[in-house]
Amino acid sequence: MVYAIRYHEISGDWMVFNVGDEFELVGMHVSEEDAVDQVNDLEKRATKLARYSKPALKQAA
C-alpha cells in the first residue's frame, strides 16, 4: 500500500497521503469511510496502470 490515512485532531478531517515515492497529501475528507473509498479507488487505478506500463529495462553497468 502506498497510501496512508491519518486523522487530523484539530480540523477533524481524515487526510489521505501518498507515501510511496514522495510524501504528498492527495485528499481530505469529513468521514473515514470517504477516505477509505478514495484509497481503494487510487489503488485500483495504480494496479490498472501498472498492468499496462512497460517494465523498466535493467542496464548492465
Side-chain angles (χ1 to χ4, degrees):
M1 174 185 264
V2 295
Y3 298 100
I5 299 172
R6 298 287 180 253
Y7 181 73
H8 192 269
E9 294 194 19
I10 295 173
S11 69
D13 291 322
W14 291 90
M15 300 181 296
V16 177
F17 291 96
N18 176 352
V19 293
D21 293 334
E22 69 275 349
F23 189 80
E24 175 185 18
L25 177 66
V26 293
M28 294 180 68
H29 302 277
V30 176
S31 71
E32 183 179 15
E33 182 180 332
D34 290 342
V36 170
D37 288 343
Q38 182 185 16
V39 168
N40 290 335
D41 290 342
L42 290 168
E43 287 182 343
K44 285 179 188 177
R45 178 189 295 168
T47 301
K48 187 182 288 186
L49 289 174
R51 188 178 316 148
Y52 295 108
S53 297
K54 294 182 181 179
L57 297 175
K58 295 183 180 180
Q59 295 180 356

